[in-house]
Amino acid sequence: MNIEKTTLLYFSPTSTTRIILEEIARGMGKEALAVIDITKPEMRTQPAPEFGNDLVLMGAPVYGGRLPKDAAEYFKTVRASGSLAVLVVLYGNREFEDALLELKDIAVADGFSPLAAGAFIGEHSFSNNEFLIAANRPDEDDLEKAFSFGKQIARLLDHVQTLTDFSCVDVPGNFPYKDGMSMGPFSFIEITDDCDNCGICVTACPENAIDETRTYSTLEDLCIYCCACIKACPQQARILKDGPIKDKAKWLFETCARRKEPQIFLAEN
Ligand SMILES: Cc1cc2nc3c(=O)[nH]c(=O)nc-3n(C[C@H](O)[C@H](O)[C@H](O)COP(=O)(O)O)c2cc1C
Ligand code: SF4
Ligand code: SF4
């Protein structure tokens, strides 16, 4: 099928979704791509794109077995006509539950024909020095799997002349979806004296939830607990306080230690 443009469209506070999408695209032999990174809050206020004879690799992390609300809301505003989609979720070695189905349902409602989908594993946002959860993933093995998934998609595309040549990819998940996360607002980040006021956490935050005028403290009403600021801080000056997120990290460390592997799904042709 003749595709005019391939676009990466993603929300990825701690970059694991972005890394996997880029590797899938490399495997497809698509290195010169358009990129729409909706992690930055200012990107989500731009009008959503309209796709035509395009292929879009769309990805987001799993939050509480669902898509992050901001990502889902933005994805719902995208319009597509005669466009193919590859759908990807990244999860922190617990479960991805209904997130991939939710992404597929949104993509179909937008007008996409989903050709392939994958659930990959990324270091859990709550992973920290004390409680490592899927630390350093995606690792080399995950990247190889993403690359090979890209090659499989490219081979499938060679056999697709029109959108009627394949049936939409099947993905696991249940509808009605499980309830999304209901947390907080609560304070879970402590800022230590090691902070040197560099401002990197402000740039890393997808929600404008860090107040640089108040010693880089977190605006709890806006925070989505993504931990991007903690991971981006070069001084390791942002640390998890004792409380629900740290307790969850301990629980994940104790109960989700067994390594999970990426799962991929391809449309039948
Ligand atoms: C609020 C929140 C909820 C999460 N819920 C889940 C979950 O339900 N299952 C899971 O395995 N990982 C969960 N994670 C971990 C992320 O899905 C995982 O770290 C992912 O790789 C992050 O993607 P990113 O690097 O693109 O931001 C959650 C993370 C956060 C911040
Ligand atoms: S990134 Fe770390 S050191 Fe820099 S301002 Fe934020 S908390 Fe301080
Ligand atoms: S302040 Fe909250 S939303 Fe912003 S990066 Fe930190 S954890 Fe994420």
Side-chain angles (χ1 to χ4, degrees), residues 191 194-202 216 229 232-235 237-238:
I191 300 151
D194 291 332
C195 173
D196 65 3
N197 306 318
C198 69
I200 288 174
C201 53
V202 177
Y216 297 92
C229 56
C233 174
Q235 304 302 329
R238 299 179 81 80

Side-chain angles (χ1 to χ4, degrees), residues 188-189 201 204-210 218-219 222-230 238:
F188 79 108
I189 299 172
C201 53
C205 178
E207 303 293 334
N208 288 334
I210 298 177
T218 307
L219 301 168
L222 299 177
C223 178
I224 57 166
Y225 315 103
C226 71
C227 300
C229 56
I230 296 178
R238 299 179 81 80

Side-chain angles (χ1 to χ4, degrees), residues 11-18 60-66 90-97 120-126 137 178 181 183 224-227 231 245 248 252:
F11 180 77
S12 184
T14 58
S15 294
T16 62
T17 306
R18 172 183 61 75
V62 175
Y63 282 7
R66 299 281 304 274
L90 264 280
Y91 71 105
N93 206 53
R94 189 186 67 80
E95 297 289 348
F96 60 96
E97 292 160 324
F120 286 76
I121 296 88
E123 174 168 315
H124 201 292
S125 319
F126 303 162
R137 294 188 73 182
K178 66 171 290 197
M181 293 204 355
M183 285 210 295
I224 57 166
Y225 315 103
C226 71
C227 300
K231 296 195 180 192
I245 298 283
K248 182 81 176 178
L252 289 161

Side-chain angles (χ1 to χ4, degrees), residues 27-191:
M28 291 172 64
K30 303 267 185 204
E31 280 175 57
L33 301 153
V35 173
I36 304 174
D37 176 0
I38 60 160
T39 317
K40 297 268 165 257
E42 58 276 16
M43 285 304 292
R44 299 193 298 274
T45 58
Q46 306 280 320
E50 289 187 20
F51 295 102
N53 193 13
D54 295 317
L55 171 66
V56 180
L57 278 69
M58 200 186 294
V62 175
Y63 282 7
R66 299 281 304 274
L67 296 178
K69 277 201 180 71
D70 283 335
E73 288 314 312
Y74 184 91
F75 290 155
K76 282 179 191 166
T77 62
V78 172
R79 291 290 160 261
S81 166
S83 325
L84 296 169
V86 173
L87 309 170
V88 174
V89 293
L90 264 280
Y91 71 105
N93 206 53
R94 189 186 67 80
E95 297 289 348
F96 60 96
E97 292 160 324
D98 302 331
L100 194 54
L101 178 64
E102 186 181 8
L103 183 56
K104 177 185 157 182
D105 291 343
I106 292 172
V108 170
D110 288 345
F112 286 104
S113 299
L115 182 73
F120 286 76
I121 296 88
E123 174 168 315
H124 201 292
S125 319
F126 303 162
S127 180
N128 60 78
N129 293 342
E130 198 177 349
F131 303 118
L132 296 171
I133 314 148
N136 301 316
R137 294 188 73 182
D139 57 16
E140 228 170 272
D141 198 49
D142 295 312
L143 293 178
E144 259 175 44
K145 286 183 172 138
F147 187 86
S148 133
F149 180 41
K151 282 174 106 168
Q152 283 175 269
I153 297 167
R155 277 198 295 275
L156 184 59
L157 274 173
D158 286 343
H159 293 100
V160 173
Q161 298 307 319
T162 70
L163 294 178
T164 52
D165 286 354
F166 67 94
S167 55
C168 225
V169 65
D170 274 332
V171 301
N174 294 305
F175 185 83
Y177 313 125
K178 66 171 290 197
D179 286 339
M181 293 204 355
S182 58
M183 285 210 295
F186 51 74
S187 153
F188 79 108
I189 299 172
E190 184 180 328
I191 300 151

